[in-house]
Amino acid sequence: MSLSSKSSNEAVLLSWVSVNHRGAPFLTALDDPKSPLRNRVGTIYLCWRDGASPEDNRDLLALRETREQLLRRLGSACPVVEEVAWKTADPPTDHAAIRPFAERVLRKVRDRHPSAHVYILVSPGTPAMHAVWLVLGTTSFIDGPVTLIQTADERGRAAGQPPVQEVRFTLDTWLHRYRRARPKATGMEDDGQLWDPARARSRPLREALEQLVRWAPLRAPVLLMGERGTGKTTLANFLRAMSPFQKHGDGEWPVVVCGQFRVNRELARSELFGHKGGAFTGATADRKGLLEDADGDTLFLDEIADIDHDTQRLLMAAVEGRGFHRLGDNQRRHSSFRLVSATNRPLEELIGGVLDPDFFDRIAVFTLRVPPLRECREDIPDLWRSVLGRTARLVGTLVEGWGDFADNEVLLEALASHVLPGNLRDLQRVAFHLLAALNARESPTIAIRNALNSLAEQPLAPKGLPSIAELRARLPLPGGLEAHLCSYRHRWVDAALAAADGNQSQAARLLGVKRETLRDWQRKDLGEERRKNEGN
């Protein structure tokens, strides 16, 4: 499959070849004066069936004639034509056989053109091919702008039909809702759609998504706990898309970043519960709060640990269904919402006084540990493409050639081997530095070097280690220090073997040791276990 790496914001046209009409439908889309695609398409992807029998050559003949007609008619204005062969013996009427091929093509096109508007021309091809495009194009199979179109033939245009018509057809799926939803008040690095949940590869991320799917139907609060920049807003958006609690549909749904409440309790209560006109200086009219806005929907509170204790107790009553009051109002109100909260604070801080214990119990009925990127190495290529594309749009300056770095092996290897303490924020920092270097006309080698130099050289800090005071309180150590170190090592070995599905070579690589060393440790641990059992 030959795919272009063109990285402009031009539109992309994707279609099967037309065996019966050759280049006619494409010339209508590209060259008719009334076509909205005229002079907009930079690349055309022509899919054709490369069958096993001689009679299947008709697709190849149609492909060659189509290319010749396009070049002859459009000349230098002809878009780049990419031929995508479906090598198969399956008939072109088999929906199940067509679908995997169409999915691969769509994903590749989006990977090569992260920010382009993809137009899928459904007119050419068999009815089965048409049906597969219809399903994939209307269920938001890929992210970004996608539009299904069909062209009118000469008779249709003579009858007054427009040359190009949009196919208006929508199937309501969780993926469609996920792509269309726009959480309010999101951060620059996480707009709620950082990755494609259908393409999660690493076990930790897949397990996190599976856990959210299990919890989604229940109107029980969920607490997302993870390091900064791990995409907690995206996981909240996914949870909402999988649940029945989404009154706002494709529109914005209630999200608030609680960090703004650190020094202003009154603002917290006004935002969450609303206020009555005259309740405080500047409150000129009655205002509905986020809790009322979230009635029948999901409410996401990011940085939940920044809410003060008094507001926590008021919110706890609302979560329990006991109601709430607008600021300055005596009327009790009720709202039925699904609460999702997030924090980057460790558990010991939350239960150690940051959150009221009763409040913590109410908001953490389900608790999900959001894995950091260093545990999701397989997902870094997709995340890098997503972050690079978003950052390119964010800078507001057209940087030529940035799309060529979406799959750069040097960048991806460096990102996969780094600790990435800032997680997605580190990817965004690299993207900003890369775009700055490219905009300054630096060579690709220097641009990559400058981008990677923006990563902090931070070793992975050990977490969960007790303080010196705690260690002093445990002295003297029963069994000696060596026994405790062996026990600690034993847990790491078990974790690595679990992550590697029991494969010792893979587990050794995860631990950064030789396979022989791992086996020696296992033999020692087994010997210790036998001695303990014999002693009992």
Side-chain angles (χ1 to χ4, degrees), residues 18-311:
S18 178
V19 173
N20 296 324
H21 302 287
R22 302 306 201 252
F26 306 103
L27 289 171
T28 298
L30 298 172
D31 199 44
D32 191 287
K34 295 182 179 180
S35 171
L37 295 186
R38 193 180 190 199
N39 299 323
R40 288 189 56 205
V41 175
T43 307
I44 305 175
Y45 290 90
L46 292 180
C47 301
W48 64 286
R49 182 173 172 274
D50 186 2
S53 59
E55 57 266 23
D56 290 326
N57 286 338
R58 61 178 191 165
D59 277 55
L60 179 58
L61 294 174
L63 176 69
R64 289 174 177 171
E65 288 188 27
T66 298
R67 178 187 282 273
E68 291 173 1
Q69 291 173 8
L70 290 175
L71 288 172
R72 185 167 58 249
R73 171 86 164 268
L74 301 177
S76 61
C78 183
V80 175
V81 178
E82 293 286 349
E83 302 172 3
V84 189
W86 179 33
K87 296 182 179 296
T88 182
D90 293 313
T93 55
D94 187 340
H95 295 79
I98 295 168
R99 178 181 171 181
F101 169 77
E103 289 179 347
R104 289 196 301 272
V105 175
L106 267 176
R107 282 174 170 160
K108 284 290 187 180
V109 168
R110 176 52 76 209
D111 288 346
R112 299 297 182 184
H113 306 269
S115 59
H117 195 134
V118 177
Y119 289 88
I120 303 176
L121 179 59
V122 300
S123 300
T126 64
M129 293 171 173
H130 181 114
V132 171
W133 283 143
L134 190 66
V135 170
L136 296 180
T138 58
T139 55
S140 297
F141 176 75
I142 59 170
D143 61 357
V146 178
T147 301
L148 292 170
I149 60 172
Q150 58 187 3
T151 54
D153 57 19
E154 291 183 3
R155 286 186 299 177
R157 293 198 299 277
Q161 294 180 6
V164 177
Q165 303 176 54
E166 181 179 347
V167 178
R168 298 187 179 277
F169 184 80
T170 302
L171 294 176
D172 184 27
T173 65
W174 71 264
L175 192 54
H176 175 83
R177 296 191 294 270
Y178 171 82
R179 300 248 193 256
R180 296 293 186 269
R182 288 293 180 269
K184 290 182 182 176
T186 56
M188 182 174 63
E189 76 283 350
D190 185 359
D191 64 354
Q193 298 186 31
L194 275 172
W195 58 70
D196 185 344
R199 298 180 68 176
R201 299 177 183 176
S202 66
R203 174 183 286 185
L205 183 55
R206 291 201 314 271
E207 290 178 347
L209 294 173
E210 289 167 1
Q211 192 74 281
L212 292 177
V213 171
R214 284 192 287 271
W215 299 338
L218 308 178
R219 197 174 64 83
V222 175
L223 176 62
L224 306 175
M225 301 183 64
E227 300 174 8
R228 70 186 194 275
T230 48
K232 293 184 283 292
T233 302
T234 289
L235 288 177
N237 196 34
F238 173 79
L239 174 63
R240 176 181 179 269
M242 297 296 299
S243 81
F245 313 109
Q246 43 184 307
K247 174 188 68 177
H248 290 270
D250 290 354
E252 290 187 339
W253 58 282
V255 172
V256 61
V257 180
C258 301
Q260 61 185 308
F261 303 149
R262 290 175 188 169
V263 295
N264 193 334
R265 298 182 180 185
E266 194 173 73
L267 175 62
R269 296 175 193 178
S270 174
E271 286 289 316
L272 293 172
F273 309 114
H275 62 252
K276 187 176 178 63
F280 54 87
T281 303
T284 58
D286 291 357
R287 182 180 182 277
K288 184 169 65 173
L290 285 171
L291 266 62
E292 290 181 72
D293 192 37
D295 188 22
D297 208 309
T298 299
L299 172 64
F300 179 48
L301 300 181
D302 197 8
E303 301 178 19
I304 187 70
D306 289 326
I307 294 182
D308 65 274
H309 277 230
D310 290 338
T311 305

Side-chain angles (χ1 to χ4, degrees), residues 435-454:
L435 294 171
L438 294 175
N439 195 52
R441 307 291 184 181
E442 300 285 1
S443 69
T445 301
I446 294 177
I448 292 173
R449 185 183 65 193
N450 290 342
L452 294 177
N453 284 343
S454 69

